[in-house]
């Protein structure tokens, strides 16, 4: 469980910070390799977490995976056309992820 929450924190921090920085006009490049690596680590951590979860917990994890995938997809699309609306999609996905993770924490406690 600790590796899952550590990986989640790193991924959410990276995606939220990166999109907020780009939205503020600070510029910079999206390090797709770093984001992809964090995403892979997070996916592995989820796989380790899921076997001990109830059906409800697994359903919450599916929602978390959807939120992360949407955020990653929006960031990848941003790399292609620099539309700021895509950065807002990243932010929205991370907010959905955090809400889902809160529900998961409630279920686990």
């Amino acid at each position: 469980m600790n590796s899952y929450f550590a990986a989640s924190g790193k991924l959410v921090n990276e995606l939220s910070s990166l999109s907020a920085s780009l939205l503020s006009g600070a510029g910079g490049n999206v390090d797709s390799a770093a984001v992809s690596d964090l995403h892979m680590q997070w996916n592995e951590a989820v796989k380790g977490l899921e076997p001990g979860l109830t059906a409800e917990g697994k359903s919450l994890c599916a929602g978390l995976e959807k939120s992360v995938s949407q955020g990653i997809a929006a960031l990848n699309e941003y790399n292609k056309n620099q539309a700021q609306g895509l950065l807002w999609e990243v932010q929205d996905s991370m907010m959905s992820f955090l809400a889902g993770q809160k529900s998961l924490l409630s279920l686990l406690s």
Side-chain angles (χ1 to χ4, degrees), residues 43 45-54 57-62 65:
N43 279 325
V46 168
K47 288 177 188 172
L49 179 68
E50 284 181 337
L53 295 176
T54 63
K58 289 178 183 179
S59 176
L60 285 170
C61 279
E65 289 179 75

Side-chain angles (χ1 to χ4, degrees), residues 28-92:
N29 295 324
V30 175
D31 186 353
S32 296
V35 170
S36 180
D37 184 51
L38 288 171
H39 187 212
M40 187 173 61
Q41 289 174 27
W42 183 80
N43 279 325
E44 290 301 315
V46 168
K47 288 177 188 172
L49 179 68
E50 284 181 337
L53 295 176
T54 63
E56 184 181 359
K58 289 178 183 179
S59 176
L60 285 170
C61 279
L64 293 171
E65 289 179 75
K66 181 179 177 186
S67 293
V68 166
S69 293
Q70 288 174 332
I72 299 278
L75 189 62
N76 288 336
E77 190 61 31
Y78 175 81
N79 282 336
K80 295 175 189 171
N81 65 25
Q82 310 289 302
Q84 281 207 335
L86 292 165
L87 296 173
W88 287 112
E89 285 185 38
V90 174
Q91 291 282 307
D92 184 57

Side-chain angles (χ1 to χ4, degrees), residues 3-27:
S3 64
Y4 166 77
F5 286 106
S8 292
K10 289 177 188 175
L11 182 60
V12 169
N13 185 50
E14 179 68 20
L15 290 173
S16 298
S17 298
L18 182 57
S19 56
S21 175
L22 292 167
L23 279 167
S24 73

